[in-house]
Every structure is written in C-alpha cells, then in structure tokens.
Amino acid sequence: GAGVSQSPSNKVTEKGKDVELRCDPISGHTALYWYRQSLGQGLEFLIYFQGNSAPDKSGLPSDRFSAERTGGSVSTLTIQRTQQEDSAVYLCASSTDRGIDNEQFFGPGTRLTVL
Amino acid sequence: AQKVTQAQTEISVVEKEDVTLDCVYETRDTTYYLFWYKQPPSGELVFLIRRNSFDEQNEISGRYSWNFQKSTSSFNFTITASQVVDSAVYFCALSGTHGSSNTGKLIFGQGTTLQVKP
C-alpha cells in the first residue's frame, strides 16, 4: 500500500516568506507526527495529532510555526516569516494509534532551504 | 528528562566486519519503549526494532541483533558481517509516558553514520 507522502520534496524560499508543507499519512492511521531534522539539532519532535483530540504542540520552536490536520487525514505545517535557522528537513510520520509502543512510518521529508 | 545519547558520530568498517552501535538513554518512566531506525542515503527513516522496558531479552533478526540492558540504560545494536548496503545513519529513539502524556512522540539520539567499505 501507499506510504506516507510529503510535498513538496524540496522548497527554497526567501527569508521572511511563509511556507506550507503537506503530509498525507497512511490511510487509516489516526496518529500523525511532525519532526524536524537539522544539522545542529538532530531529529526533534514538533507536533502530534490524534483523532479529534487537541494536538500536542509542545515541540513547536516558536509561534511562527503552526499545523493543522483536516478531516483527520492530511496535515499542513505552516512556517510564517521564515528564518535561516528554519532550514531543515521536515519529516512527517503516522501510526495506527497513539501510544508509546506504536511503530511510526515516516515519509521522505521536505527539505526546506531559507535563503 | 528524557534523553538518548549515541556517542559514536561516525563509524567506518570494511565489509564483513562486525560493528556495534551504542545507545544510552535516560528516563524516569517505568514504562517506555526503545526503537532503532535506519536512514539510508535516500533519506526515509526505516523502522528496525521496538523493545519495551519490561523485556530485556536480546533479539536477533538475520545479521542484526540488539542487546538491551536496563542496568546500564543501554540498547546497543550489532550488525554481523556488515555489507555495503548497511551504510546509513542509524538512530536510536525513546518513547515514554512523559508523566501523564502518552502521545508516543519519539526522542531521538543524534544518530551514528555507518560507512561500510567494500
């Protein structure tokens, strides 16, 4: 079956612009996670969605970052007024249910470069 | 606090050598899970194994084996008879209850880059 897909695969933007990154989870997966992978910080959790529950936003680095998940499926991560330190690979993952034991399936990521 | 440490930044071996990737974790949770993921040059993270905190049995899957020791808070990964295709970045990760939270978010180590030379 289809895995987690993300778009675009690459995004180059100018400092100060807004960007939107999209994630399509595996069909039927109720839990969705966003992570960021950067040279200086490694792999960091950003935000988590599970069904209709309030998202866990504890990993978002600033209020310029926001995310939504429409209809319990597709998710969009928005970064406003991008800064050079936002340059990273943004990874999306989904799993069948929340829980600390669930295997998360990762997408290929979106490489964001802020000039 | 939850933390995962992979002290080895890069390892280089020659094909057919055995190699062990170290992982040390910190958590106050009594129930937690440990994971290993592989990130090949293509970039996509691939799940390798999951181990819960109550199961200290070692596991072997083909050329891969894992050694979990709660006494030393370690979850080490060994590749036997390494192959060029094993070249990748390997991440160890921790998932715990974080108090009342049970989201399953992963705390990753910094990763170990393994290069297997022919």
Side-chain angles (χ1 to χ4, degrees), chain A residues 33 35 37 58 100-101 104, chain B residues 39 50 102-106:
Chain A
Y33 305 79
Y35 294 88
Q37 184 173 20
S58 60
I100 65 173
D101 62 333
Q104 295 178 26
Chain B
Q39 188 175 41
R50 168 185 50 224
N102 189 27
T103 64
K105 64 186 179 187
L106 295 171

Side-chain angles (χ1 to χ4, degrees), chain B residues 26 35 37-38 45 53 58 71 96 103 116:
Chain B
E26 296 176 29
F35 300 78
Y37 279 85
K38 174 182 180 180
L45 280 163
S53 52
N58 292 333
S71 61
T103 64
V116 181

Side-chain angles (χ1 to χ4, degrees), chain A residues 13-14 23-25 27-28 31 33-34 40 44 49 51-52 56 58 67 71 75 90 99 108 110:
Chain A
T13 189
E14 293 179 350
C23 171
D24 280 275
S27 178
Y33 305 79
W34 282 98
E44 309 169 275
F49 294 92
N52 295 320
D56 176 355
S58 60
S75 176
Y90 290 82
T110 293

Side-chain angles (χ1 to χ4, degrees), chain B residues 38-56:
Chain B
K38 174 182 180 180
Q39 188 175 41
S42 61
E44 202 156 329
L45 280 163
V46 176
F47 168 84
L48 295 178
I49 191 171
R50 168 185 50 224
R51 172 68 69 216
N52 77 55
S53 52
F54 299 106
D55 182 2
E56 288 192 69

Side-chain angles (χ1 to χ4, degrees), chain A residues 4 33 35 37 39-45 48 56 58-59 91 98-108, chain B residues 31-33 35 37 39 42-45 47 50 89 91 95-98 101-110:
Chain A
V4 177
Y33 305 79
Y35 294 88
Q37 184 173 20
L39 281 176
Q41 302 297 322
L43 265 162
E44 309 169 275
F45 165 80
Y48 157 81
D56 176 355
S58 60
L91 294 167
R98 75 172 186 179
I100 65 173
D101 62 333
N102 284 319
E103 174 189 346
Q104 295 178 26
F105 295 81
F106 284 80
Chain B
T31 302
Y32 54 89
Y33 280 76
F35 300 78
Y37 279 85
Q39 188 175 41
S42 61
E44 202 156 329
L45 280 163
F47 168 84
R50 168 185 50 224
V89 182
F91 290 94
S95 175
T97 52
H98 309 293
S101 170
N102 189 27
T103 64
K105 64 186 179 187
L106 295 171
I107 308 298
F108 285 92
Q110 290 294 90

